Amino acid sequence: MSESVEQLHLLALNVGLAKHHADWNWQDVNSPFARIYYVTEGRAELVLPDRTHLLRSGYMYFVPPFTTHSCRCDDVFVHYYLHLYEDAPTCSGFLEEWKFPIEVEGGELERLLFERLCTLNPHMALPQSDPKGYDNPATLEKNIIKNRQGTLCNRVESRGIVFQLFARFLRGAVR
C-alpha cells in the first residue's frame, strides 16, 4: 500500500457531542469503522483486548476498526465522537494495517476542530448512543450517503478537519 495522502479516503460516518450520566455502558462492540473520542468532562473506561484504558478529560482516544471493545461509565462523561470509515479500495485496510496510539493529548484546538465539525455536519449526529441501533450494514450504507451530502465547501472543510484530527494519531503510528 502506498503511503500517499491522495489515496487516503476517510469518511466521517458520525460526529457529535455526547453527554452521559452513567449510561455509556456497552459490551462487546465490534465495528467496521474506527472511533475517535475527545473527552471534555468526566471519565470512563475503554476495555480493549490487551488492557483497560481510563478515558479522561483533555485527551483523545482511538479505537481501530474491527476491534472488540467495551465501554464503562458510572458518572458524568462528556465526549466528542467521530466514526471514520475507509472508502477506497486503494487504501483498504490502512486503519487496520497500522498500529495507532490509543491515547493522545488533546487541547483547545482539537476541541474547536470537533466543535466546527459538528457545526458543519449536524445531520451526522447519532440519534442514540447504543451501538446496536447504528452499528449495522444498513445504517453504515446510509451514513456513507450522508457523508456525501451537503455543500462542496462544507465537505471539503470537514475532510480537512477529519485529516487534522486523524493526524494526531498518525504521528505516533507504526506499521
Side-chain angles (χ1 to χ4, degrees):
M1 192 223 44
S2 172
E3 294 176 16
S4 171
V5 70
E6 289 79 17
Q7 294 181 343
L8 184 58
H9 296 277
L10 299 176
L11 294 181
L13 298 176
N14 306 106
V15 62
L17 177 65
K19 298 177 181 182
H20 296 282
H21 194 279
D23 63 346
W24 194 66
N25 295 291
W26 316 116
Q27 300 297 312
D28 300 322
V29 178
N30 188 307
S31 309
F33 51 83
R35 290 171 160 80
I36 293 178
Y37 301 124
Y38 178 71
V39 180
T40 62
E41 183 181 345
R43 331 170 358 159
E45 290 182 339
L46 176 64
V47 182
L48 293 172
D50 61 339
R51 66 179 263 225
T52 298
H53 298 267
L54 177 64
L55 306 185
R56 48 200 177 121
S57 183
Y59 287 84
M60 295 195 324
Y61 298 89
F62 184 84
V63 180
F66 302 108
T67 300
T68 301
H69 63 282
S70 298
C71 308
R72 294 192 295 232
C73 168
D74 61 6
D75 203 354
V76 172
F77 180 60
V78 181
H79 70 284
Y80 285 99
Y81 58 86
L82 170 61
H83 297 165
L84 293 177
Y85 182 74
E86 288 183 276
D87 188 44
T90 57
C91 74
S92 181
F94 181 84
L95 294 175
E96 297 169 62
E97 290 174 5
W98 288 64
K99 182 164 177 55
F100 296 91
I102 300 301
E103 178 187 79
V104 297
E105 191 168 0
E108 184 64 10
L109 176 59
E110 288 76 17
R111 187 192 63 75
L112 291 171
L113 288 170
F114 264 109
E115 188 176 292
R116 180 66 180 156
L117 193 57
C118 291
T119 298
L120 292 169
N121 300 285
H123 61 288
M124 294 170 69
L126 290 170
Q128 61 175 342
S129 63
D130 185 348
K132 290 178 183 159
Y134 66 81
D135 198 351
N136 56 66
T139 304
L140 175 64
E141 188 174 323
K142 187 173 86 175
N143 288 339
I144 290 171
I145 291 168
K146 274 186 191 180
N147 176 279
R148 296 185 176 121
Q149 296 173 340
T151 66
L152 178 61
C153 180
N154 282 4
R155 288 182 290 143
V156 168
E157 185 176 354
S158 294
R159 181 166 290 186
I161 292 170
V162 165
F163 271 38
Q164 288 182 68
L165 293 169
F166 177 66
R168 302 315 192 262
F169 294 93
L170 189 56
R171 182 173 290 116
V174 294
R175 195 152 190 200

